[in-house]
Amino acid sequence: MRVRQWSGDPAMLLLWMAVALSFVFWPIVLWLGFDEPIAGAEGRYRTYFELANWWAFPFFFLALAPALWLTWEPLLKAWDRLAETEVLREGNGRPDADILDQVRHAVRGRRFIAVIGALVISLFINVVDRAPLLHHYGGAAGLAGQQAHACTDPGPFVKWILVSRSESEFLCDVLEKRKADGEPASGAPGIAPPPGQVLFAAVTTLQQVLIVFLAALAVLQVLLHTAMFGLLERLEVARRHGLRLSLNCGSPLNEFGLEHWNHALNNFYWAVCPAMLGVFISRAATPPEEHLPGQVMLGFAVPVCLLAPMVATIIVRQARLPEAWRSLQPNGPVAPEDYRRQQLWPLDRNWSSKLGILLAFALGALSIGFELSHLALL
């Protein structure tokens, strides 16, 4: 992979900026004091650098980089390969380089669909996930609500609430004693967070928005290419040049001429495996009783997103089988024996190259199993 290819794409450039922001945030955290413990809260309050699901964000972005890149440039090049394997045809011949460039341009021009979809998904998940915390940043719940919320998960996101007292005793211990003594909750107004706390919340929220956006974009890019494969003949460039897609029933590699596309898809699933580790780190770093709604949603959404490209790929290929049968003898040149050797889905006899798909699906199954077991205990 060339460095220019990894950095020239706008999505990759955004990812590198996110990596830089996450590393730069570390000294800001030190400067603002979010790495410092609270006296009397040993074992209960967790500093920023005790939360692996937050301080490790630079590495989450880096782990996502291969998957993000592999879902765009390699798949664009796979369109050229479809012509070489006699799947993409111009009439009865092979389209030239200029027409192939127009096909890539047509696919590239629809990338905005994946971008908008990823942005909507990221904003929805993050609004659901961060709304409870931001509600207390606004002080609408009053001081009692803020304090009760802070003690459910004492950490850097609510530090200003936990240290906004003159007593030396830890706030959560004081609240427990007051509750045991039957004292009423405070009716005082909420405490506005200081600028440093707002900056901390803003940057961490931005990191989470970006990681969900880029992860969703990677999946949606695969789905976009798959949709273009299924709808190619409806594109203006296809109608203008008489382009069509037809599975090659006599492919010597027995993959219907889709081996280059399969290779790109398999590499994507290999790249997804290290990216999935971020999901497990996020879940493991937070006790089950403190899991936020967004984390639970991701626990289910990530495996579904892993499955979606494979299911969509099978569907669009299956839809082209009836047309491919016309090339079989006696109406066409392909012997039925050659057709029966073809593999429709991206899992063939070369299991070493397909192992990434199996590993990704296994990790996805573990994620779903974890969420279901947790829900069963509620």
Side-chain angles (χ1 to χ4, degrees), residues 85-87 246-252 255-257 324 327 334 342:
T85 56
E86 301 182 354
V87 174
S246 181
L247 300 179
N248 184 357
C249 297
S251 170
E255 296 189 36
F256 282 107
S327 64
V334 180
Q342 305 299 318

Side-chain angles (χ1 to χ4, degrees), residues 314-336:
I314 298 300
I315 290 174
V316 298
R317 295 179 180 189
Q318 189 77 21
R320 293 190 176 275
L321 276 179
E323 182 183 356
W325 294 336
R326 300 176 186 175
S327 64
L328 301 181
Q329 296 173 354
N331 299 320
V334 180

Side-chain angles (χ1 to χ4, degrees), residues 288-306:
E289 64 274 10
E290 298 174 6
H291 286 167
L292 297 174
Q295 289 180 305
V296 177
M297 291 173 61
L298 286 176
F300 286 105
V302 170
V304 172
C305 289
L306 287 177

Side-chain angles (χ1 to χ4, degrees), residues 38-45 147-148 150-152 154 161-163 165 167-181 183:
I38 295 179
E42 293 79 5
R44 299 181 64 182
Y45 177 83
Q147 292 178 340
C151 290
T152 60
I161 300 174
L162 299 173
V163 299
R165 303 175 62 258
E167 294 91 342
S168 60
E169 194 172 2
F170 185 43
L171 171 64
C172 300
D173 293 331
V174 174
L175 293 181
E176 290 178 0
K177 291 179 180 178
R178 290 177 179 175
K179 184 177 180 180
D181 295 337
E183 295 185 25

Side-chain angles (χ1 to χ4, degrees), residues 129-140:
D129 183 67
R130 305 296 276 176
L133 176 64
L134 297 181
H135 174 70
H136 293 285
Y137 270 65

Side-chain angles (χ1 to χ4, degrees), residues 5-205:
Q5 292 174 322
W6 276 66
S7 60
D9 181 76
M12 295 303 301
L13 180 60
L14 177 62
L15 186 143
W16 300 135
M17 292 173 62
V19 172
L21 169 67
S22 298
F23 276 123
V24 170
F25 188 51
W26 285 357
I28 295 177
V29 167
L30 297 174
W31 174 58
L32 294 175
F34 287 104
D35 64 313
E36 300 171 357
I38 295 179
E42 293 79 5
R44 299 181 64 182
Y45 177 83
R46 291 178 294 172
T47 67
Y48 178 78
F49 289 106
E50 290 178 310
L51 300 174
N53 55 319
W54 287 106
W55 68 259
F57 253 91
F59 306 106
F60 295 162
F61 284 116
L62 290 173
L64 183 60
L68 182 63
W69 184 81
L70 287 166
T71 58
W72 193 245
E73 290 298 332
L75 281 171
L76 279 176
K77 294 178 180 178
W79 284 95
D80 291 350
R81 301 294 189 177
L82 291 179
E84 296 178 10
T85 56
E86 301 182 354
V87 174
L88 179 59
R89 309 289 290 173
E90 181 187 9
N92 293 322
R94 180 183 299 181
D96 59 28
D98 180 65
I99 294 177
L100 292 175
D101 184 65
Q102 294 179 45
V103 172
R104 289 195 305 273
H105 181 75
V107 176
R108 194 186 298 272
R110 286 163 175 78
R111 193 184 194 184
F112 74 93
I113 300 174
V115 171
I116 293 175
L119 183 60
V120 170
I121 291 172
S122 180
L123 291 178
F124 174 77
I125 290 178
N126 280 281
V127 166
V128 172
D129 183 67
R130 305 296 276 176
L133 176 64
L134 297 181
H135 174 70
H136 293 285
Y137 270 65
L143 179 60
Q146 284 182 324
Q147 292 178 340
H149 174 76
C151 290
T152 60
D153 183 16
F157 293 98
V158 292
K159 185 175 183 179
W160 96 99
I161 300 174
L162 299 173
V163 299
S164 60
R165 303 175 62 258
S166 58
E167 294 91 342
S168 60
E169 194 172 2
F170 185 43
L171 171 64
C172 300
D173 293 331
V174 174
L175 293 181
E176 290 178 0
K177 291 179 180 178
R178 290 177 179 175
K179 184 177 180 180
D181 295 337
E183 295 185 25
S186 172
I191 307 171
Q197 186 77 53
V198 174
L199 175 63
F200 177 82
V203 175
T204 51
T205 299

